Amino acid sequence: MARIPVVDQESCISCEVCTHICPEVFRMTGGEGHEHTHGEHKSEVYNPTGAPEAIIEQAMDACPAACIYWQD
Ligand code: SF4
């Protein structure tokens, strides 16, 4: 089974790097229908199996806050 990436939104600094590297998996919250974010733009995983693991890992490695990780 494919591993599932998760974003620690507490640590996310909203740089949008992951959404540029891997838009099939990550997107920024804060749009319509995301009231739980209180208007903050944070990365979220909306399609965990949307890209090969190698691409997701690139986003993990590039994240300046190191807040993307594989769920156990
Ligand atoms: S790369 Fe990391 S810090 Fe930047 S938006 Fe994505 S999860 Fe947040």
Side-chain angles (χ1 to χ4, degrees):
M1 201 181 112
R3 290 187 290 176
I4 303 294
V6 288
V7 170
D8 174 10
Q9 293 190 339
E10 294 287 312
S11 304
C12 174
I13 58 169
S14 312
C15 70
E16 302 189 19
V17 162
C18 57
T19 59
H20 283 285
I21 293 175
C22 194
E24 298 85 0
V25 172
F26 303 97
R27 69 181 170 195
M28 302 309 289
T29 61
E32 289 173 87
H34 288 290
E35 285 160 44
H36 62 280
T37 62
H38 305 289
E40 286 182 85
H41 292 268
K42 301 282 189 177
S43 170
E44 70 174 359
V45 175
Y46 73 100
N47 184 16
T49 56
E53 288 189 6
I55 306 292
I56 297 172
E57 234 150 43
Q58 273 182 32
M60 286 177 180
D61 290 345
C63 173
C67 61
I68 311 171
Y69 52 92
W70 296 112
Q71 196 169 55
D72 293 324

